[in-house]
Amino acid sequence: VRTPVAVVGATGYAGAEAVRLLAGHPRAEPAYLASHSQPGARLGDVYPHLGALGERVLEPADPDRIARAAPVAILALPARASFELAVALRARGVRVIDLGPDYRLRDPEVYARYYGGPHGAPQLLGEAVYGLAEVHRDRIAAAGLVAVPGCYPTAALLALWPAVAEGLVEPDDLIVDAKSGVSGAGRGLALAYHFGEANENLSPYALAGAHRHTPEIEQALAGAAGRPVSVTFNPHLVPMTRGLLATCYARLAPGVEARDVAAAYRAWYAGSPFVRVAEGDALPATKHVLGSNSCAVGFRVDGRVGRLVAVAAIDNLTKGAAGHGIQDLNLMMGWDEAEGLPRLGLYP
Amino acid sequence: VRTPVAVVGATGYAGAEAVRLLAGHPRAEPAYLASHSQPGARLGDVYPHLGALGERVLEPADPDRIARAAPVAILALPARASFELAVALRARGVRVIDLGPDYRLRDPEVYARYYGGPHGAPQLLGEAVYGLAEVHRDRIAAAGLVAVPGCYPTAALLALWPAVAEGLVEPDDLIVDAKSGVSGAGRGLALAYHFGEANENLSPYALAGAHRHTPEIEQALAGAAGRPVSVTFNPHLVPMTRGLLATCYARLAPGVEARDVAAAYRAWYAGSPFVRVAEGDALPATKHVLGSNSCAVGFRVDGRVGRLVAVAAIDNLTKGAAGHGIQDLNLMMGWDEAEGLPRLGLYP
Amino acid sequence: VRTPVAVVGATGYAGAEAVRLLAGHPRAEPAYLASHSQPGARLGDVYPHLGALGERVLEPADPDRIARAAPVAILALPARASFELAVALRARGVRVIDLGPDYRLRDPEVYARYYGGPHGAPQLLGEAVYGLAEVHRDRIAAAGLVAVPGCYPTAALLALWPAVAEGLVEPDDLIVDAKSGVSGAGRGLALAYHFGEANENLSPYALAGAHRHTPEIEQALAGAAGRPVSVTFNPHLVPMTRGLLATCYARLAPGVEARDVAAAYRAWYAGSPFVRVAEGDALPATKHVLGSNSCAVGFRVDGRVGRLVAVAAIDNLTKGAAGHGIQDLNLMMGWDEAEGLPRLGLYP
Amino acid sequence: VRTPVAVVGATGYAGAEAVRLLAGHPRAEPAYLASHSQPGARLGDVYPHLGALGERVLEPADPDRIARAAPVAILALPARASFELAVALRARGVRVIDLGPDYRLRDPEVYARYYGGPHGAPQLLGEAVYGLAEVHRDRIAAAGLVAVPGCYPTAALLALWPAVAEGLVEPDDLIVDAKSGVSGAGRGLALAYHFGEANENLSPYALAGAHRHTPEIEQALAGAAGRPVSVTFNPHLVPMTRGLLATCYARLAPGVEARDVAAAYRAWYAGSPFVRVAEGDALPATKHVLGSNSCAVGFRVDGRVGRLVAVAAIDNLTKGAAGHGIQDLNLMMGWDEAEGLPRLGLYP
């Protein structure tokens, strides 16, 4: 018997990806598919690629009905859209996996500054667990509310975590130059994502700390470093649908050499089924992980200038959103962490 | 216990796709991976996306070793490269699923004309079964040698079969205008597939019957019509990696109306798990089936000119090659036709 | 002294292309740039690539001001948006080059059927000249109102004209299978043109005569044939920004051979600076004409089935819209037809 | 009368771009087109988009014939391929504009380390002028041999020059994270540029100072700083044909504020027709300069961490190669710097 799982926000790209993955999951199934924007619509009309799921109809995002249908819900909603619903679901005992940003930042004032106003459910922040699966397995397993990391933070953190946690780099001089495929912006229409504008175009945006993922990366890395860190985070839009690469720069601590870095990365990710540390001359590329929940990590030491360059590649909708959420689901349910999640990408 | 399957030609795109699909198959497993061009290489070095398969090493294409390793072999080789191997494998009792073109045409003289010289194993043509799964299920189930249809023919045949078989169109006036993503040309380097040349470019090639898939389509449709047919087949290269669409034109037989066509398509594909007939205003698009073994079929009747326009969309490497081959494998093994094959595409 | 030209609808892709081309024109200049949607905006804010034009501000589409500023106006407006303006401009003696569809169809009832309601300025249809430059040079030179052909019709007509005009094919059995880059749909937002949906996707739409360009192609080809023709027109959206290819199918008249076709195409286009008839094995591809006003034409005769396959490739925004309009402007002004228009494309 | 210019290496992308630009240049013309690889071939067969240049035939790279044909030659050859030819041309009094890397580095030992062996014409290094047009106008005007900057250095230098030259940043802590379209790798076939591999893929390569452009950037910036600088240079391949963006990171000198940076950039580029400094919230994107010789520059100050983020976008084949070379040609000939060069890009 597969455990029923609700997906709220199934008309967005991350929500639809959650449905796709759950449809192939041996221990869970997509049981209740809700949409704020198109309740009543046939799923196959909204997403023809999901037509094989048959005559599924999108339901309203009603907490009572969700609670009757499933013990756990995946929320795939825009920022500020899951305050009430998460409170209502938690009150009904439903465990919540939030793919959105509302429960990632521990400090509601930081949230308010970056997300356009006061936090609407600060009472939930205490129980929220930051769902970086490779780092917080135990806390995720026990959690009632998991905040799945953002797409950029997932890549940046997996690229930098071993180096920062092991003290191999100076934590106050970090740069994350990140590049994402356009699907990271979702299905909502905007000129920047119009094909004619985004195709054959590479564009930086929200540079120099203006992007909302900046405090999220800093908060998480502070946990790795054991002290505050500061990060310059700089995202770019890349003319491809899926794929995200973070190129991270850090000053090496005195005496650290390439072999120390290699040893740390191998040790940290030895038990992580989805992280592959590149060997030899290989470097990660986004296409190596397309459609999979894998993260490819690699690094170079620039000895001339004493700097570490660490890179991580993910699929922004899978490991960067829905797949990471289902990895968290697996941990919460006590299943194998990799259950139902593709490790092999679609290539070419 | 999963049945071991050999894949010969695992360094090509179709072969690698077969490996990917077999790795997730519940009843089969990729047991012996052979390459003419790179025996001895680590699979993960040739295809980083397959790195999770671990330290697999590519083997030589040796029929004795294949026969010891697996009762069935998938060949993913260029034209004219599987004559000897297929003979040797059949002599050792290995069942063969050939993704290449060498056993598709029943007439060796037609083969010789289109494929650059005499057929090298005409003695196998008698037992070869054309592996169009949706049509020849019974014969495939019993076959020792299955010739998986080409990518273009798969789409063209699924688009036209019900109309031709039911006599709804005139079989001597067929046009197939087909469009394929660039991966259909394989991993071999050539200027036409160089990124700078193929990207942002739409180019026709091998027009007006010059393409090798022309006689294959005609041979198969003759089987549907019960008499010879002639087809103008015209392929185009489209700037995308995967995806193939066939737009087919046929003159309607007297008195045939749209509802007759709809009824025929629905009836023909009622028991086919991978064919979805579009309803209402919807039309197939290649992205609806990306990475899946599904085929989306749709049609329009142009009443003003008495013509049927039928379209079919597939992923050229999945339903157009490796996935179709594994669907045939499932039939040969008596398993569920859909076992281990993705019905849902990757979207977006 | 360069002749001032007004561009109305400068915020759309075709309008902006007209501005770009006029900026480099030796005998004309973009003198009055109007926008219904964003009057008052700086051009460089709407289109950063036009920033070098300096502090140009978009004006309202006011006929009096246009008439004071320029003797000729290029309208780049959606269907049904140029009725009043064209009447007002003609009343003020301004010559009008309309890139939109409102004056292309001679029969207002056909217009009403395909364009959502009665024609709003039928009194102008008598003086409107269909601006297919390669065919109607003399009439365009004398015209007060030129209706520039649509993007699909331009390619289809240049592909088929010599064959139809010379009686080499049967005019009642024509098929146009056309493929266009996404910019053909303009800058207006819609889900189908959202990057995630259109990228890596090939999709047919408005098949079997449903598209508005169907009667336009039929009307023009009837002029070539000297009698009514019927066409099945079928467009597809291709994942690239610019480029349009029409693949056209026609039944050869009795006795016609490939050399007759070649002679006709060479003769028809001998004096046309922008049409290149492919020779030998070459076939047109859209990238050969990217960013240029050129049209690459080629053909194949399928002797087995007695059919002509003729193809034409254009840049949908240049020869398919603004460039064709400026070619018409050159003819109207008595300048060299090629003045200010790029013949060489951007490659790769 | 237009000055004849020879182009050697016309079959490569940069060479073909030089031919395209010279064909539209009012004061120069492509007079002698040479190719090592395909002498005797028709230009239109090698590059159909150049077919309008008619029956041009590629000549051998013979210095005597070049010297008779043209007073100036543009070399578009791979590394290490222009030693002999440049010496021979200079001996014949031909002025040389080298788009390749052979004369960019002043120190032949650094050249030998990065370019696979000893420099083959060190005697020319003394007269070679680094052709960064916006900085070295006077020296270029008088030069007999100009080494046009590499594509990555052009963007990195235009992004960083004002800040480094004015002492606004620390010169020993620079990072250049650069992203290029695939055409930057040329027309030579390699798996990494095969469409199936490069499309929908973002891949870093030659990270952490391994790329040959590293010493070139450092040498040039040392000239701006007046003392040695060290740079971590990290390139990435982006799935688009043209376009290059450099995102540069530098630590601000004490007390420097955003307005100081803005003033410096505006002042430095006030007389540069091809550099546009972004204003307000705008940021450069590669599509803003597609097919043009323009460079879009922008910056952000990250006050929290005291860091400057400066970005520059160019078309890698125009301002990043052939266009920059023709800008240098204009300076050498005493013509207007912008003569014959497009300032407006192709959009979308």
Side-chain angles (χ1 to χ4, degrees):
Chain A
V1 180
R2 293 158 75 193
T3 300
V5 177
V7 177
V8 182
T11 55
Y13 284 154
E17 180 77 346
V19 173
R20 179 181 80 92
L21 292 169
L22 289 170
H25 197 292
R27 308 191 64 159
E29 63 179 336
Y32 186 96
L33 308 182
S35 164
H36 284 96
S37 57
Q38 302 180 61
R42 274 185 65 246
L43 185 59
D45 290 341
V46 178
Y47 281 113
H49 78 292
L50 295 177
L53 287 181
E55 295 298 313
R56 292 296 191 94
V57 169
L58 292 165
E59 310 283 350
D62 178 81
D64 286 320
R65 296 188 54 193
I66 294 171
R68 280 197 297 273
V72 57
I74 295 176
L75 309 188
L77 298 168
R80 310 194 64 80
S82 65
F83 294 141
E84 272 185 57
L85 183 61
V87 170
L89 290 173
R90 291 303 298 132
R92 285 157 182 78
V94 178
R95 296 173 87 182
V96 171
I97 297 168
D98 186 15
L99 304 184
D102 289 346
Y103 304 99
R104 294 179 194 151
L105 297 175
R106 280 195 297 272
D107 183 341
E109 301 205 356
V110 176
Y111 181 91
R113 206 153 61 234
Y114 277 88
Y115 286 93
H119 198 286
Q123 69 274 28
L124 291 184
L125 293 178
E127 71 157 324
V129 169
Y130 190 67
L132 186 64
E134 279 70 18
V135 172
H136 300 307
R137 284 184 182 89
D138 292 346
R139 298 180 54 213
I140 294 165
L145 170 57
V146 170
V148 179
C151 51
Y152 286 124
T154 292
L157 295 175
L158 292 176
L160 285 171
W161 197 278
V164 171
E166 297 293 331
L168 305 178
V169 297
E170 310 291 352
D172 56 356
D173 190 27
L174 301 170
I175 294 171
V176 176
D177 187 293
K179 300 94 174 166
S180 176
V182 181
S183 68
R187 212 185 198 195
L189 304 185
L191 187 59
Y193 318 128
H194 194 55
F195 186 85
E197 310 287 315
N199 188 43
E200 296 289 293
N201 195 9
L202 178 73
S203 54
Y205 68 103
L207 293 179
H211 193 281
R212 293 166 163 186
H213 285 168
T214 307
E216 182 182 340
I217 297 170
E218 289 184 340
Q219 171 186 288
L221 283 180
R227 60 183 169 112
V229 305
S230 71
V231 173
T232 304
F233 171 65
N234 302 277
H236 302 72
L237 208 59
V238 177
M240 60 188 186
T241 302
R242 287 173 177 239
L244 188 156
L245 187 94
T247 312
C248 307
Y249 301 94
R251 187 167 296 282
L252 288 166
V256 173
E257 297 185 15
R259 65 171 165 257
D260 306 319
V261 179
Y265 278 74
R266 265 188 235 113
W268 261 92
Y269 294 125
S272 289
F274 291 113
V275 180
R276 286 207 302 271
V277 181
E279 290 174 23
D281 289 341
L283 278 173
T286 61
K287 204 177 183 83
H288 298 164
V289 297
L290 176 67
S292 85
N293 200 51
S294 296
C295 175
V297 172
F299 61 87
R300 289 286 183 278
V301 165
D302 191 343
R304 296 182 326 139
V305 298
R307 193 170 267 129
L308 174 70
V309 185
V311 295
I314 60 172
D315 182 312
N316 54 294
L317 289 177
T318 316
K319 182 61 176 169
H324 203 165
I326 288 171
Q327 190 179 357
D328 288 342
L329 169 72
N330 291 338
L331 291 167
M332 292 165 81
M333 295 295 169
W335 303 330
D336 184 294
E337 178 176 342
E339 198 81 80
L341 288 168
R343 243 184 293 190
L344 300 185
L346 194 68
Y347 196 93
Chain B
V1 180
R2 293 158 74 193
T3 299
V5 177
V7 177
V8 182
T11 56
Y13 284 154
E17 180 76 347
V19 173
R20 179 181 80 91
L21 292 169
L22 289 170
H25 197 292
R27 310 192 63 160
E29 65 180 334
Y32 185 94
L33 309 181
S35 164
H36 284 98
S37 57
Q38 303 181 60
R42 275 184 65 245
L43 185 60
D45 289 343
V46 178
Y47 280 114
H49 78 291
L50 295 176
L53 287 181
E55 296 298 313
R56 291 297 191 93
V57 169
L58 292 164
E59 310 284 348
D62 179 81
D64 285 321
R65 295 188 55 194
I66 294 171
R68 281 197 298 274
V72 58
I74 295 175
L75 309 189
L77 297 168
R80 309 193 64 80
S82 66
F83 295 140
E84 273 184 58
L85 184 61
V87 171
L89 290 173
R90 291 302 299 132
R92 284 157 183 78
V94 178
R95 296 174 88 182
V96 171
I97 298 166
D98 187 14
L99 305 184
D102 289 347
Y103 305 99
R104 293 179 196 151
L105 297 176
R106 279 195 298 272
D107 182 342
E109 300 204 357
V110 175
Y111 181 91
R113 204 152 63 233
Y114 277 89
Y115 285 94
H119 197 286
Q123 69 273 30
L124 292 184
L125 293 178
E127 71 158 325
V129 169
Y130 191 66
L132 185 64
E134 280 70 18
V135 172
H136 301 307
R137 283 186 182 88
D138 292 346
R139 298 180 55 213
I140 294 165
L145 170 57
V146 170
V148 180
C151 51
Y152 286 124
T154 292
L157 296 176
L158 292 176
L160 285 171
W161 198 278
V164 171
E166 297 294 330
L168 305 178
V169 297
E170 310 291 351
D172 56 356
D173 189 28
L174 301 171
I175 294 172
V176 176
D177 187 292
K179 301 94 175 164
S180 174
V182 181
S183 68
R187 212 186 198 194
L189 304 185
L191 186 60
Y193 318 129
H194 194 55
F195 186 84
E197 310 288 315
N199 187 44
E200 296 289 292
N201 195 9
L202 178 72
S203 54
Y205 68 103
L207 292 180
H211 193 282
R212 294 165 162 187
H213 286 169
T214 308
E216 181 182 340
I217 297 170
E218 289 183 340
Q219 170 185 286
L221 283 181
R227 58 180 171 117
V229 306
S230 71
V231 173
T232 303
F233 171 64
N234 302 277
H236 302 73
L237 207 59
V238 177
M240 60 187 187
T241 302
R242 287 173 178 240
L244 189 156
L245 187 94
T247 312
C248 307
Y249 301 94
R251 188 167 296 281
L252 288 167
V256 172
E257 296 186 17
R259 64 171 165 258
D260 307 316
V261 179
Y265 278 74
R266 266 189 233 113
W268 262 92
Y269 295 126
S272 289
F274 292 114
V275 179
R276 285 208 302 271
V277 181
E279 290 174 23
D281 289 340
L283 278 173
T286 62
K287 204 177 184 87
H288 298 164
V289 297
L290 175 68
S292 86
N293 200 52
S294 297
C295 175
V297 172
F299 62 87
R300 288 287 183 277
V301 165
D302 191 343
R304 296 184 323 140
V305 297
R307 195 171 266 127
L308 173 70
V309 185
V311 295
I314 59 171
D315 183 312
N316 55 295
L317 290 175
T318 316
K319 181 61 176 170
H324 203 164
I326 289 170
Q327 189 179 357
D328 289 340
L329 169 72
N330 291 337
L331 291 167
M332 291 164 81
M333 295 296 170
W335 302 330
D336 184 294
E337 178 176 343
E339 197 82 80
L341 289 169
R343 243 184 294 188
L344 300 185
L346 194 68
Y347 197 94
Chain C
V1 180
R2 293 158 74 193
T3 300
V5 176
V7 177
V8 181
T11 56
Y13 285 153
E17 181 77 346
V19 173
R20 179 181 80 92
L21 292 169
L22 288 170
H25 198 293
R27 309 191 65 161
E29 64 179 335
Y32 185 95
L33 309 181
S35 164
H36 284 98
S37 57
Q38 304 180 62
R42 275 184 65 246
L43 185 59
D45 290 341
V46 178
Y47 280 114
H49 78 292
L50 295 176
L53 288 181
E55 295 299 312
R56 291 295 191 94
V57 170
L58 292 164
E59 310 284 349
D62 178 82
D64 285 320
R65 296 188 55 195
I66 294 172
R68 282 196 296 273
V72 57
I74 295 174
L75 309 188
L77 297 168
R80 310 193 64 80
S82 65
F83 295 141
E84 271 184 58
L85 184 61
V87 170
L89 290 174
R90 292 303 297 135
R92 285 158 182 78
V94 178
R95 296 174 86 182
V96 171
I97 298 168
D98 186 14
L99 304 185
D102 289 347
Y103 304 100
R104 293 180 194 151
L105 297 175
R106 278 194 298 270
D107 183 341
E109 299 205 357
V110 177
Y111 181 91
R113 203 152 63 233
Y114 277 89
Y115 287 95
H119 197 287
Q123 69 274 28
L124 291 184
L125 293 178
E127 70 158 324
V129 170
Y130 190 65
L132 185 64
E134 279 70 19
V135 173
H136 301 307
R137 284 186 181 89
D138 292 346
R139 299 179 54 212
I140 293 165
L145 169 58
V146 170
V148 179
C151 51
Y152 286 124
T154 292
L157 296 175
L158 292 176
L160 285 170
W161 198 278
V164 171
E166 297 293 331
L168 305 178
V169 297
E170 309 292 351
D172 55 355
D173 190 28
L174 302 170
I175 294 171
V176 176
D177 186 292
K179 301 93 175 166
S180 175
V182 182
S183 68
R187 211 185 199 194
L189 304 185
L191 187 59
Y193 318 128
H194 194 55
F195 185 85
E197 310 287 315
N199 188 43
E200 297 289 293
N201 195 9
L202 179 72
S203 54
Y205 68 103
L207 293 180
H211 193 282
R212 294 166 164 186
H213 286 167
T214 307
E216 183 182 339
I217 297 171
E218 289 183 339
Q219 169 186 289
L221 282 181
R227 59 182 171 114
V229 305
S230 70
V231 174
T232 303
F233 171 65
N234 302 278
H236 301 72
L237 208 59
V238 177
M240 60 188 187
T241 303
R242 286 174 178 238
L244 188 156
L245 187 93
T247 311
C248 307
Y249 301 94
R251 188 167 296 283
L252 288 166
V256 173
E257 297 185 16
R259 64 172 166 258
D260 306 318
V261 179
Y265 278 74
R266 267 191 232 111
W268 262 92
Y269 294 125
S272 289
F274 291 114
V275 180
R276 285 207 302 270
V277 180
E279 291 175 22
D281 288 341
L283 278 172
T286 62
K287 205 177 181 84
H288 298 163
V289 297
L290 175 68
S292 86
N293 200 53
S294 296
C295 174
V297 172
F299 61 86
R300 289 285 183 280
V301 165
D302 192 342
R304 296 182 325 139
V305 298
R307 195 170 265 129
L308 173 71
V309 185
V311 295
I314 60 171
D315 182 313
N316 55 295
L317 289 176
T318 316
K319 181 61 176 169
H324 203 165
I326 289 170
Q327 189 179 358
D328 288 341
L329 169 72
N330 291 338
L331 291 166
M332 292 164 81
M333 294 296 169
W335 303 329
D336 185 294
E337 178 176 341
E339 197 80 80
L341 288 169
R343 244 184 292 189
L344 300 185
L346 194 68
Y347 197 93
Chain D
V1 180
R2 293 158 74 192
T3 300
V5 176
V7 177
V8 182
T11 56
Y13 284 153
E17 180 77 347
V19 172
R20 179 181 79 93
L21 293 169
L22 289 170
H25 198 293
R27 308 192 62 161
E29 63 179 335
Y32 186 96
L33 308 181
S35 164
H36 284 97
S37 58
Q38 303 181 59
R42 275 184 66 245
L43 185 60
D45 290 341
V46 178
Y47 280 114
H49 78 292
L50 295 176
L53 287 181
E55 295 299 311
R56 291 297 191 93
V57 170
L58 292 164
E59 309 283 350
D62 178 81
D64 285 321
R65 295 187 56 193
I66 294 172
R68 281 197 297 273
V72 57
I74 295 175
L75 309 188
L77 297 168
R80 310 194 64 79
S82 65
F83 295 141
E84 271 184 58
L85 184 61
V87 170
L89 290 173
R90 292 302 298 131
R92 284 157 182 77
V94 178
R95 296 174 87 181
V96 171
I97 297 167
D98 186 14
L99 305 184
D102 290 346
Y103 305 99
R104 293 179 195 151
L105 297 175
R106 279 194 299 271
D107 183 341
E109 300 205 354
V110 176
Y111 181 91
R113 204 152 63 232
Y114 277 89
Y115 286 94
H119 198 286
Q123 69 273 29
L124 291 184
L125 294 178
E127 71 158 323
V129 169
Y130 190 67
L132 186 64
E134 279 70 19
V135 173
H136 301 307
R137 283 185 183 89
D138 292 347
R139 297 180 56 213
I140 293 165
L145 170 56
V146 169
V148 179
C151 52
Y152 286 125
T154 293
L157 296 175
L158 292 176
L160 285 171
W161 198 279
V164 171
E166 297 293 330
L168 304 179
V169 297
E170 310 292 351
D172 55 357
D173 189 28
L174 301 171
I175 294 171
V176 176
D177 187 293
K179 301 95 175 166
S180 175
V182 181
S183 68
R187 213 186 198 194
L189 304 185
L191 187 59
Y193 319 128
H194 194 56
F195 186 85
E197 310 286 316
N199 188 43
E200 296 289 293
N201 194 10
L202 179 72
S203 55
Y205 68 103
L207 292 180
H211 193 282
R212 293 164 163 188
H213 286 168
T214 308
E216 183 182 339
I217 298 170
E218 289 183 340
Q219 170 186 288
L221 283 181
R227 59 181 171 116
V229 306
S230 71
V231 173
T232 303
F233 171 64
N234 302 278
H236 302 72
L237 208 59
V238 177
M240 60 187 185
T241 303
R242 288 174 176 238
L244 188 156
L245 188 94
T247 313
C248 308
Y249 300 94
R251 189 167 295 283
L252 288 167
V256 172
E257 296 186 16
R259 65 171 164 257
D260 306 318
V261 178
Y265 277 74
R266 267 190 233 113
W268 262 92
Y269 293 126
S272 289
F274 291 114
V275 180
R276 285 208 302 271
V277 181
E279 289 174 24
D281 289 340
L283 278 172
T286 62
K287 204 176 184 84
H288 298 163
V289 296
L290 175 68
S292 85
N293 200 52
S294 296
C295 174
V297 172
F299 61 87
R300 289 288 183 277
V301 165
D302 192 342
R304 296 181 325 138
V305 298
R307 194 170 267 128
L308 174 70
V309 185
V311 295
I314 59 171
D315 182 313
N316 55 295
L317 289 176
T318 316
K319 181 61 176 170
H324 203 165
I326 289 171
Q327 190 179 358
D328 289 342
L329 170 72
N330 291 337
L331 292 166
M332 292 164 80
M333 295 295 170
W335 302 331
D336 185 293
E337 177 176 343
E339 197 82 78
L341 288 168
R343 243 185 293 189
L344 300 185
L346 195 67
Y347 196 94

